[in-house]
Amino acid sequence: MIPAPFDYLAPTSVEEALAALAEHGDDAKVLAGGQSLLPVLRMRLNAPEVVIDLGRIESLRGVRDDGDAIVVGAMTQHSVVASDPLVAEHAGLVSRAVEHLADAQIRHRGTFGGALAHADPAGDLGAPALALGAQFVIAGQGGTTRTVEADDFFVDLFETAIGEDELLTEVRLPKHTGWGAHYEKFVRVAHQWPIVAVAAAVRAEGGTITEARVGLTNMGSTPLRARAVEEALRGQPATEEAVREAASRAAEGCTPPSDLNGDADYRRHLATVLTRRAVLAAAGA
């Protein structure tokens, strides 16, 4: 199908983009990589009067080291994030997840910030960002900026803390240098949205897990932290038996959906199995 007619704006600065948002309000949609928005427009599920393309704002691209965090610009393509040595060294969990994200074409067009702002609970980036304690830098009107913690960023299904007249400009990934990381994703068809996926980062010393961070994909209306698992793993040996016991708590507090790919109970079972696999792989066991 052909999208409904719209006016196209391509600002070259964050300030210009924010001014356009302020002017057009609810009538405007922001275009990042377009891998989620363009299909919606083509099917006429949404018909904005104005599309604001962020693709010419160079300040929103790139990866840099900023002391205790790696900073990823919101318009940085997934392929760039996947191949960046800073991300691989200090936020390896993100590198592992991006490798599993859709296919090569989408990874070369889609953007890191666009996927996170879209906030699909089945998306591959929310759980790793949540597990690592990412911070989201949001620009607002009048040159204001604010930083939102990952725990507060994902509000509900396809809803984030970004206001209607605001833009996500960058994502700060706290360094987890030396941590093991693994992203375990279950699909029935290659490149599909995960039925369930688990993001695990583990710090181990002498065969003992000293700290773990575990994020869950598609186990609720937002990405979730498996905090019961994290607590159960602390101080435990990185063995099959100990990790299996801790992973049995993966679905606690979750309200997974039921659909054609599996009902809620099936997803709860998958969460425990995938958590065990992800933690053991991250711990190098």
Side-chain angles (χ1 to χ4, degrees):
M1 294 181 65
I2 299 174
F6 57 81
D7 290 332
Y8 174 80
L9 302 178
T12 58
S13 69
V14 171
E15 292 74 20
E16 288 180 19
L18 288 169
L21 276 176
E23 178 181 354
H24 298 286
D26 292 341
D27 295 328
K29 281 291 183 182
V30 173
L31 174 66
Q35 302 309 293
S36 298
L37 179 61
L38 291 181
V40 169
L41 296 183
R42 291 188 65 184
M43 291 185 287
R44 298 203 178 194
L45 297 175
N46 199 307
E49 294 184 8
V50 179
V51 170
I52 303 171
D53 185 354
L54 305 183
R56 296 183 184 179
I57 306 179
E58 290 301 320
S59 64
L60 296 181
R61 301 185 189 278
V63 179
R64 72 178 190 275
D65 190 323
D66 189 28
D68 60 353
I70 299 301
V71 181
V72 182
M75 287 295 291
T76 307
Q77 287 98 338
H78 301 307
S79 58
V80 173
V81 175
S83 62
D84 190 274
L86 288 174
V87 177
E89 181 180 0
H90 302 294
L93 183 54
V94 169
S95 293
R96 304 293 191 281
V98 174
E99 291 172 359
H100 292 274
L101 191 151
D103 56 32
Q105 179 175 336
I106 289 177
R107 290 194 294 271
H108 278 79
R109 292 293 302 172
T111 64
F112 192 71
L116 288 165
H118 185 54
D120 189 330
D124 288 303
L125 296 183
L130 189 63
L132 293 182
Q135 297 175 315
F136 297 81
V137 181
I138 299 170
Q141 302 297 319
T144 61
T145 61
R146 60 192 181 98
T147 301
V148 178
E149 301 292 333
D151 286 341
D152 301 317
F153 181 76
F154 300 103
V155 176
D156 205 342
L157 186 72
F158 299 109
E159 183 181 352
T160 70
I162 305 171
E164 292 183 358
D165 60 348
E166 296 180 317
L167 289 174
L168 176 66
T169 58
E170 61 187 30
V171 181
R172 298 178 59 85
L173 302 171
K175 289 182 178 179
H176 286 73
T177 314
W179 287 52
H182 187 76
Y183 187 68
E184 188 75 17
K185 176 177 177 176
F186 185 82
V187 297
R188 289 178 174 165
V189 180
H191 311 310
Q192 187 185 40
W193 297 106
I195 298 172
V196 174
V198 176
V202 175
R203 183 161 60 92
E205 297 178 4
T208 298
I209 297 173
T210 57
E211 191 173 356
R213 288 174 167 264
V214 180
L216 304 176
T217 300
N218 214 9
M219 285 294 289
S221 61
T222 67
L224 299 170
R225 281 274 294 277
R227 297 186 186 276
V229 175
E230 295 173 357
E231 295 173 4
L233 286 170
R234 190 175 295 113
Q236 296 298 312
T239 62
E240 173 84 24
E241 182 179 357
V243 172
R244 183 186 296 274
E245 178 64 26
S248 67
R249 305 182 63 184
E252 288 185 10
C254 296
T255 54
S258 293
D259 55 32
L260 293 176
N261 288 312
D263 63 17
D265 286 339
Y266 179 58
R267 282 186 161 90
R268 292 187 183 96
H269 169 70
L270 279 178
T272 62
V273 174
L274 300 181
T275 297
R276 173 177 55 82
R277 294 177 183 175
V279 170
L280 286 172

